[in-house]
Amino acid sequence: MKSFYILLLSITIFSCQKEKTSLPIEENSISISSQLKTDKLQTYEFVLKNDTLISGKEGTKIWITTDLFENYTNGKITFELKEFYSKEDMILNGLSTVTNKNELLESSGMFYINFKEGGKQLRIKKGKSYEVTIPNKPLADSNIYYNDNDSIFRWDLAKTDIKVLFPDILRNCAFRISVGKDNAGGFFKETTLDSLKIAQKIDSLKLIKILEEEEKELKKNINNDQMVVVDELNHDLKYDKYRDINNNERLTKEEKEKRIKNRDAFYNSMAEISSFSSDKLGWINIDRILDYEKLKKITIKNNDKLFDSDYVIFYNYLEQKSLINHYLNDFNSDYVCPELRIKGKIKVIVYTNNEDKIFYDKFYIDRNSNTEFSLKLKETTLDKLKQELISN
């Protein structure tokens, strides 16, 4: 991993460009969904002569080695990338955050990665992988998920771990390097995402001892003729960014909350680099399983039965980056979701199209809401439907 970042200094960096509509783009089962999509495809063509770093427009970086592919014949490679980090992009492109075990996920980002040589699909050698660095911090407890379908998103848990490079506060302190969001030139150490908080706490406790020893040594060397007043509150604040504040019995609840907030802001400002290795191409999702408040059986009645058309039922979890899309070929009978996972407030939109007209209805669900809803479909425009989908 360390050698990966050292090598970044000596490689050619490509930016994804030259969008091509001829490359495959996924299609959903309803035509209106295709019109809602944003054009996210980025492509770049190159010959793989050296280990190469490729950078996406939204900050995803893909590191590939010259021996990555088993069927590469030194021709021109077409690299394909789609990046989805905003909830709006995920919504308009019909993505869902549900596992193959029907678990609800919350996403830190999704992307599509693929390589071809001419019209030939490239395959990764057994035992080889490429490295992906993401531009933002993943949510705590996140994992990597894969999906090999372009229209039905039911994510499979991967075996790979998310790795994090984070500032080595002990070495940075020893060399008097300040720790913060702009300390990319300082010392870093590596751990996994699920061990990050533990590693930071261990480092913090070690640093506390070092700083306290320095404080004692400073006091010992003060002459008796000098009067030095140590403000106890300021002394505590010096170490609060590292200390377990909850164990400080002298602080009120409000003071503890304020100091914990300041400490969390300090850690969040640190320059962290999150990455993972993958031996698969296609759709990748960085997600965590979302704890839900309640399971509900939801029934949606389409009493009008206006059209013999396809329908989409879209669930937008307003307080999380969590989405569900259901595509129905037939809505002549009631639609029943036997176990909808409830978390906060969910905006539900049902939409369809008949010839050149779009129809929709919306309602909200939470843990205390009704469980049965009757549709009253209204005509709308594509732009208004987009706004309904992405708004609260």
Side-chain angles (χ1 to χ4, degrees), residues 108-120:
S108 294
M110 307 181 194
F111 30 86
Y112 174 85
I113 295 173
N114 197 30
F115 295 89
K116 295 180 179 179
E117 183 182 12
K120 176 181 66 180

Side-chain angles (χ1 to χ4, degrees), residues 14-20 23 39-45 54-60 62 78-85 111-114:
F14 296 114
S15 294
C16 303
Q17 54 184 308
K18 195 179 177 182
E19 298 179 4
K20 298 181 179 178
L23 288 168
D39 189 0
K40 301 292 291 183
L41 182 62
Q42 306 168 52
T43 69
Y44 196 86
E45 294 181 342
I54 308 174
S55 299
K57 293 178 180 177
E58 296 187 32
T60 310
I62 300 95
T78 299
F79 167 69
E80 305 170 0
L81 175 66
K82 301 176 187 177
E83 301 167 281
F84 301 91
Y85 289 108
F111 30 86
Y112 174 85
I113 295 173
N114 197 30

Side-chain angles (χ1 to χ4, degrees), residues 64 95 102 120 155 210 220 253 300 374:
I64 60 173
L95 304 178
N102 209 34
K120 176 181 66 180
W155 299 95
I210 293 172
K220 189 188 300 183
K253 180 181 177 182
I300 303 176
S374 294

Side-chain angles (χ1 to χ4, degrees), residues 211-373:
L211 294 175
E212 287 178 344
E213 287 300 319
E214 288 182 355
E215 191 89 7
K216 289 178 184 177
E217 191 66 24
L218 179 64
K219 290 178 182 178
K220 189 188 300 183
N221 293 330
I222 293 174
N223 295 326
N224 292 331
D225 295 337
Q226 295 175 312
M227 297 296 295
V228 178
V229 178
V230 178
D231 188 314
E232 189 173 310
L233 179 60
N234 286 338
H235 177 272
D236 283 346
L237 288 173
K238 180 178 180 181
Y239 304 116
D240 274 350
K241 62 184 65 174
Y242 312 111
R243 179 173 288 164
D244 186 355
I245 298 168
N246 283 314
N247 289 335
N248 191 336
E249 297 178 355
R250 293 173 299 172
L251 299 176
T252 65
K253 180 181 177 182
E254 290 74 18
E255 288 172 331
K256 287 181 181 180
E257 289 176 351
K258 182 178 180 180
R259 295 196 188 184
I260 288 172
K261 184 177 180 180
N262 290 338
R263 184 188 61 189
D264 290 345
F266 167 78
Y267 277 125
N268 288 335
S269 73
M270 285 187 172
E272 294 173 9
I273 303 172
S274 300
S275 66
F276 62 92
S277 299
S278 177
D279 61 357
K280 294 182 182 297
L281 299 174
W283 286 96
I284 303 174
N285 197 352
I286 306 170
D287 277 45
R288 66 178 178 187
I289 295 176
L290 187 63
D291 294 330
Y292 56 89
E293 302 166 358
K294 190 175 183 179
L295 287 174
K296 271 191 173 186
K297 180 180 178 180
I298 302 297
T299 301
I300 303 176
K301 296 178 175 291
N302 186 12
N303 296 323
D304 294 334
K305 298 181 178 60
L306 296 176
F307 321 114
D308 185 18
S309 304
D310 295 332
Y311 286 75
V312 174
I313 301 177
F314 169 64
Y315 302 85
N316 182 2
Y317 288 74
L318 298 180
E319 297 169 16
Q320 291 81 31
K321 204 180 285 188
S322 302
L323 316 162
I324 302 175
N325 281 282
H326 285 308
Y327 300 95
L328 303 180
N329 294 323
D330 180 11
F331 204 167
N332 290 322
S333 57
D334 295 346
Y335 167 79
V336 178
C337 180
E339 291 185 334
L340 180 65
R341 285 159 170 75
I342 307 297
K343 178 72 172 181
K345 193 173 185 180
I346 306 170
K347 183 178 182 179
V348 184
I349 296 181
V350 181
Y351 62 92
T352 185
N353 63 306
N354 184 44
E355 296 178 350
D356 59 346
K357 295 181 180 179
I358 302 171
F359 298 85
Y360 88 106
D361 196 9
K362 68 177 180 181
F363 52 89
Y364 293 87
I365 299 174
D366 59 32
R367 60 183 302 162
N368 300 316
S369 66
N370 296 330
T371 58
E372 188 172 297
F373 302 88

